[in-house]
Amino acid sequence: MNLTDAISARRSVRKFTDRPPTREELEQMLSAATLVPNHRLTNPWRFYVLGPEARAGYGLALGNRKAKKATDEAHAESIRKATSDEHRAQPCMLIVAMVLNENLEIREEDYASTMMATQNICLTAVSLGLGTYIRSGAIMDDPAARAAVGVPEGERIIAVLSVGTPLEVPDAKPRRAVAEVTHWVD
Ligand SMILES: Cc1cc2nc3c(=O)[nH]c(=O)nc-3n(C[C@H](O)[C@H](O)[C@H](O)COP(=O)(O)O)c2cc1C
């Protein structure tokens, strides 16, 4: 598959078959991630490939947050369990984190590079017949979630990716026409 086709075919895939990606496929995605432009060659990215226990632990941390809206303890417990089980059952989850440089200008560049790395993961996945789904949110700073996936002090989680063989590929979501968002400046 050529690059333009991979870019066009990429979707946020939320339903996967049970087949997890192989270690070789994951290594290929992560190798591609490290080839992005990176000012000062800081190599800011860190990747965490989660096994079932880590996925369940992350899901439990997320479930705890969701359970705060529950009306009673039995409901709260069912939310915690369901969220943890859902995450354990995922074919594969990757955490993309970045090392926090003390210099804020470098930190911003590093964030940009690490997000580009994330896109390389997503596009390489498409080229391998796989799908990905990026998630974010306040959970990424939650100490329980960070502990569950083993991210240390000094690193920031910037994306939580599900990876697997798509069971269902959603239709493309329309974007604004490029002419509407482009200024051709003389
Ligand atoms: C930085 C980032 C964070 C995202 N976080 C979430 C999220 O927390 N939950 C979610 O459902 N989708 C999340 N998405 C996926 C977007 O909702 C999705 O890319 C968008 O709907 C367009 O769909 P597409 O990826 O299939 O083109 C995130 C995407 C990016 C780039």
Side-chain angles (χ1 to χ4, degrees):
M1 179 182 282
N2 73 33
L3 179 62
T4 325
D5 290 342
I7 291 170
S8 301
R10 187 212 55 79
R11 300 281 183 280
S12 292
V13 174
R14 294 178 171 88
K15 290 189 181 165
F16 299 101
T17 70
D18 290 338
R19 183 187 89 78
T22 63
R23 190 177 179 111
E24 290 69 29
E25 287 168 334
L26 288 165
E27 284 172 350
Q28 202 173 329
M29 286 180 241
L30 299 178
S31 296
T34 66
L35 297 180
V36 293
N38 176 215
H39 195 198
R40 303 168 221 260
L41 294 176
T42 52
N43 292 262
W45 37 75
R46 297 291 182 271
F47 307 115
Y48 296 83
V49 184
L50 307 188
E53 289 311 310
R55 293 197 298 268
Y58 178 89
L60 183 59
L62 185 61
N64 267 322
R65 298 173 73 87
K66 290 185 179 175
K68 288 183 183 145
K69 291 184 188 148
T71 43
D72 57 68
E73 181 45 33
H75 184 209
E77 182 50 26
S78 74
I79 292 173
R80 284 193 283 268
K81 184 172 179 333
T83 312
S84 181
D85 289 351
E86 267 166 36
H87 282 74
R88 188 195 297 276
Q90 296 238 345
C92 178
M93 275 175 68
L94 292 179
I95 300 287
V96 182
M98 61 177 276
V99 175
L100 291 173
N101 197 292
E102 282 179 11
N103 178 309
L104 293 185
E105 185 181 332
I106 297 176
R107 193 181 285 194
E108 187 166 65
E109 290 169 351
D110 284 349
Y111 177 78
S113 267
T114 310
M115 261 305 169
M116 293 169 89
T118 304
Q119 175 70 338
N120 272 13
I121 293 174
C122 296
L123 292 178
T124 306
V126 174
S127 77
L128 294 170
L130 298 168
T132 55
Y133 166 25
I134 301 176
R135 280 181 293 159
S136 54
I139 180 70
M140 298 191 300
D141 295 324
D142 185 310
R146 291 171 57 87
V149 301
V151 173
E153 282 285 303
E155 289 182 25
R156 173 182 164 199
I157 299 176
I158 67 155
V160 178
L161 268 74
S162 300
V163 186
T165 304
L167 188 60
E168 213 173 81
V169 177
D171 291 338
K173 291 189 180 162
R175 308 307 205 248
R176 286 176 68 183
V178 73
E180 283 178 32
V181 295
T182 306
H183 303 275
W184 297 83
V185 184
D186 285 336

